[in-house]
């Protein structure tokens, strides 16, 4: 228990130090902002895997045993993902009058600056692992299963922090809220196995990654 809490604290601390501190240092030295972002996430993926390496292996074995039907799992996942996406775009259009966010435009700029395949790797592999281990596993995973009240509190914190970390403008809050709720709920529903939300997060980012490869964004 103490080791899990320690890993969680280290993960969260390193995420913010590297995500903001290292990025600022790289940009200050003259490195392009897009390359700085890719470098930061390349470093972060190595850090979070080093922190959770044994847990990631055991969680994967547990995940495979607990999934009774992969078909049902993916149907449920796609329903959650579709509902989250529809609500996200609906809220974004109501608040902003547009379906695009500043984060979407920034990712599009990255694809014009660095090879699209690297942006795709960052979006569909690096980001799901890094952010799910930070905002789901580190914030919720350490809580005893029987302590429903604390799990609920930490789930709310996870939802809000994950949402806020993606904001460029305050009015984008409701765009990311449905996905944040969906990822957190799906994670808890699947016995808090991190691979459930990693897969959902990867599939949420996949359409954007594919569009970059074919040059739409």
């Amino acid at each position: 228990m103490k080791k899990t809490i320690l890993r969680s604290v280290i993960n969260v601390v390193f995420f913010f130090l590297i995500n903001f501190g290292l990025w600022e240092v790289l940009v200050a030295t003259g490195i392009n902002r897009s390359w700085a972002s890719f470098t930061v996430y390349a470093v972060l993926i190595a850090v979070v895997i080093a922190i959770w390496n044994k847990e990631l292996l055991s969680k994967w074995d547990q995940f495979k045993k607990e999934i009774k039907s992969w078909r049902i799992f993916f149907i449920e996942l796609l329903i959650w993902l579709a509902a989250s996406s529809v609500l996200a775009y609906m809220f974004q259009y109501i608040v902003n009058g547009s379906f695009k966010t500043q984060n979407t435009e920034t990712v599009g700029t990255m694809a014009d600056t660095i090879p699209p395949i690297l942006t795709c790797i960052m979006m569909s592999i690096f980001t799901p692992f890094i952010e799910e281990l930070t905002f789901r596993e580190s914030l919720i995973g350490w809580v005893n299963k029987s302590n429903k009240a604390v799990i609920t509190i930490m789930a709310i914190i996870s939802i809000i922090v994950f949402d806020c970390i993606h904001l460029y403008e305050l009015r984008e809050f409701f765009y990311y809220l449905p996905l944040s709720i969906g990822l957190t709920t799906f994670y808890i529903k699947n016995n808090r196995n991190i691979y459930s939300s990693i897969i959902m997060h990867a599939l949420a980012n996949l359409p954007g990654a594919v569009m970059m490869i074919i040059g739409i964004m």
Side-chain angles (χ1 to χ4, degrees):
M1 179 67 171
K2 288 182 179 179
K3 287 184 178 180
T4 302
I5 295 175
L6 180 61
R7 287 191 190 96
S8 299
V9 171
I10 292 171
N11 189 149
V12 172
V13 169
F14 269 94
F15 175 85
F16 285 99
L17 283 177
I18 295 171
N19 199 36
F20 296 106
L22 178 59
W23 189 87
E24 293 288 348
V25 170
L26 291 172
V27 171
T29 60
I31 294 177
N32 175 277
R33 288 171 175 260
S34 297
W35 278 109
S37 295
F38 180 81
T39 303
V40 163
Y41 267 64
V43 171
L44 275 171
I45 191 70
V47 169
V48 297
I49 288 176
I51 292 170
W52 297 102
N53 57 353
K54 291 181 181 178
E55 286 72 17
L56 284 170
L57 292 173
S58 62
K59 288 275 187 179
W60 178 247
D61 289 336
Q62 179 188 341
F63 184 62
K64 290 188 293 182
K65 290 176 184 176
E66 290 178 348
I67 297 298
K68 301 284 193 297
S69 166
W70 286 100
R71 180 169 164 272
I72 293 173
F73 171 80
F74 278 106
I75 288 173
E76 290 179 353
L77 184 153
L78 291 172
I79 290 171
W80 277 97
L81 196 54
S84 300
S85 299
V86 169
L87 288 172
Y89 283 112
M90 184 180 73
F91 289 151
Q92 176 66 7
Y93 191 79
I94 290 171
V95 175
N96 264 354
S98 168
F99 291 119
K100 276 195 171 184
T101 66
Q102 185 61 43
N103 193 35
T104 305
E105 292 177 8
T106 301
V107 172
T109 302
M110 282 189 67
D112 293 334
T113 309
I114 65 176
I117 189 64
L118 294 184
T119 309
C120 294
I121 289 171
M122 177 178 163
M123 285 177 60
S124 56
I125 299 175
F126 290 1
T127 299
F129 268 91
I130 293 164
E131 294 186 354
E132 294 311 307
L133 286 168
T134 302
F135 299 111
R136 247 61 67 184
E137 190 68 15
S138 295
L139 294 182
I140 307 171
W142 59 271
V143 184
N144 191 293
K145 289 182 180 180
S146 62
N147 200 333
K148 304 294 183 183
V150 177
I151 288 176
T152 301
I153 292 169
M154 295 311 297
I156 293 170
I157 292 172
S158 169
I159 289 166
I160 293 172
V161 177
F162 177 85
D163 193 323
C164 291
I165 200 71
H166 291 84
L167 300 183
Y168 283 84
E169 299 174 347
L170 187 58
R171 60 183 180 173
E172 293 177 350
F173 180 84
F174 291 101
Y175 175 80
Y176 294 102
L177 187 60
L179 179 61
S180 188
I181 293 172
L183 287 167
T184 304
T185 306
F186 198 67
Y187 167 73
I188 293 172
K189 180 180 178 296
N190 283 278
N191 199 23
R192 293 187 297 175
N193 192 298
I194 195 61
Y195 285 100
S196 59
S197 57
I198 285 174
I199 293 170
M200 182 176 175
H201 198 152
L203 288 177
N205 289 356
L206 187 60
V210 171
M211 284 191 285
M212 282 176 202
I213 290 176
I214 62 179
I216 293 178
M217 288 185 74

